Amino acid sequence: VKIGSGRDPLSAVPDSSLTDAKFVWVEGIDESLYCGEIRRLGDITGVRPARIAGYWLLKKGAVWDGPKAKPGERTVLHLHGGAFYIGSANPSDITANFTRGLLEHSQSLDRVLAIDYRLTASAPNPPANPFPAALLDSLAGYLYLVQDAGFAPENITIAGDSAGGNLAIALVRHLVENPFPSLPPPGRILTVSGWFDLSMSRVGPGSSHLSNSASDIFGTLKPGRLFGEYGMTSLRGPLDFEVVKTNRYLSPSSLDCEPMKGKSLFEGFPETYVATGGAERALDESTALVERMKADGVKVVEDFPPDAMHDFVVFKWHEPERTEALIRMSAWLDRAQ
């Protein structure tokens, strides 16, 4: 995918060379699910639901007999990383190493679904797919798992790495804040190196953004540009930067984040596993997320390998941190709730 291309999901083509995966189309959500805070912002940015591509990634040796869930079957909805403007759910993308690792080490997973959400773009590329396009597509993936494939919500874990971690939290927030009788929140959330503060409000003396600049994959970036300004600028589109700083859907770890009126920030969230490299620049964002979730009564597992860098689970050479973390995550997924 070309950087900043803002690809049209209708241009996706099923890959006949897939050996451990199956391609599916996922229809856009019904307008009734497009409500609340994301609808308010979506009316400003002009975003509407769309049909998107999805990929079922299969455990080695698993037999595909259609998308329908077996009784009691567990699965994962994976939202890939890439700062909202690069990457893909295609099994050839490096982020699939995350979910392949879960399938390898988990005893309860036979397949996971990855959603090819719309990528955002801005100048010098044609503007495309600002907030909440990727979030609507993530919601469509969850709806597909529950209503089309028949998975029980409590048997679904929403997993995301990097920008996908942001989307995982935002997706569950929408389901918690806008109760849908036919679409309850998922059983769990799993984030790895989540980008939880698009405003980068925690950059400053003593911050991980500066202290880990020599050890992270983004160490060569100038201070204040954790993932670069392009992804954030493209995602916010016509929204004012003040929205990025304060909105709970965009920056839940921001120093300026404002909860929903009359509610705590993470009230009603399910058990969450937060993994982040101890050597990465975004460490403070995950630490703040854990603190805020625990303060609001959420059961949280924190996993911060000290020598790991950003999105370490997608890099096969990042050992032993990658495999050790995947084993811990898989054991957590396998544990009965």
Side-chain angles (χ1 to χ4, degrees), residues 90-112:
N90 190 289
S92 64
D93 192 81
I94 191 172
T95 58
N97 289 335
F98 173 27
T99 42
R100 280 199 177 95
L102 294 177
L103 287 168
E104 178 183 354
H105 296 289
S106 169
Q107 300 300 310
S108 62
L109 293 178
D110 286 329
R111 52 185 174 153
V112 301

Side-chain angles (χ1 to χ4, degrees), residues 44 123 157 162 220 247 261 311:
I44 298 172
T157 297
S162 193
T220 59
N247 193 273
K261 188 175 181 179
D311 219 355

Side-chain angles (χ1 to χ4, degrees), residues 10 31 53 56 108 146 166 174 193 200 205 214 228 269 275 278 285 302 306 308 313 317 319 323 326 331:
L10 292 177
E31 289 283 339
W56 282 105
S108 62
V146 174
N166 180 298
H174 181 65
S193 299
M200 294 176 287
F269 269 63
E285 298 177 27
E302 51 187 295
V313 294
W317 49 263
E319 295 293 353
T323 294
L326 287 169

Side-chain angles (χ1 to χ4, degrees), residues 12 18 22-26 52-56 89-91 113-116:
L18 295 176
K22 295 294 180 180
F23 177 93
V24 293
W25 284 115
V26 176
I52 55 171
Y55 295 88
W56 282 105
N90 190 289
L113 178 69
I115 288 297
D116 228 5

